[in-house]
Amino acid sequence: MSAAKSKSSADRFKKAASARRAAPPPAAPEEAQPRPERGRTAVRSKPLRTTVDLSPADHKRLRRIADRLADDLDVGEVPRRAVWLALLAELAEDDALYERVRDRVKESRDDVDTA
């Protein structure tokens, strides 16, 4: 055996341990990134998927609206997603529209409750 090699496993383990002790300790995760405030959640960056079950008549109505918009805008197609997003934006900004939608939702809930 050469003089450069350790004579036993114990010697090799001591040598490895001393090499590890010589390295500076790794930074704690708290130092690398500040922790969020307690009670706050992370901001989601990926879109969320929502599905809606429509009756065939409602689906046809949505398709017709999207097709009419495509004709008005002189484009080949308006995605139904764009229709939903535009409706959500209008609903958030227009109090009268919000109240009409609220009334329809209340009516539909009343119909379900009495059935």
Side-chain angles (χ1 to χ4, degrees), residues 12-84:
R12 287 196 307 262
F13 290 135
K14 274 188 203 174
K15 187 176 179 180
S18 66
R20 272 185 251 133
R21 284 189 207 115
E30 298 90 38
E31 295 172 14
Q33 297 176 353
R35 297 183 87 170
E37 292 180 32
R38 198 166 173 86
R40 297 191 65 185
T41 59
V43 176
R44 187 175 178 94
S45 59
K46 295 173 78 175
L48 298 170
R49 177 168 296 278
T50 299
T51 58
V52 178
D53 294 327
L54 299 175
S55 69
D58 287 336
H59 187 259
K60 189 175 192 177
R61 187 171 11 165
L62 177 60
R63 279 194 339 244
R64 284 185 176 164
I65 291 169
D67 290 345
R68 181 177 168 197
L69 286 167
D71 287 343
D72 288 348
L73 298 172
D74 197 26
V75 295
E77 181 182 14
V78 170
R80 285 170 232 147
R81 178 181 184 274
V83 176
W84 288 115

Side-chain angles (χ1 to χ4, degrees), residues 99-113:
E99 289 172 12
R100 290 195 312 269
V101 169
R102 182 196 62 209
D103 292 344
R104 281 188 185 246
V105 169
K106 184 179 183 318
E107 287 172 14
S108 69
R109 289 179 56 89
D110 289 345
D111 291 343
V112 171
D113 291 340

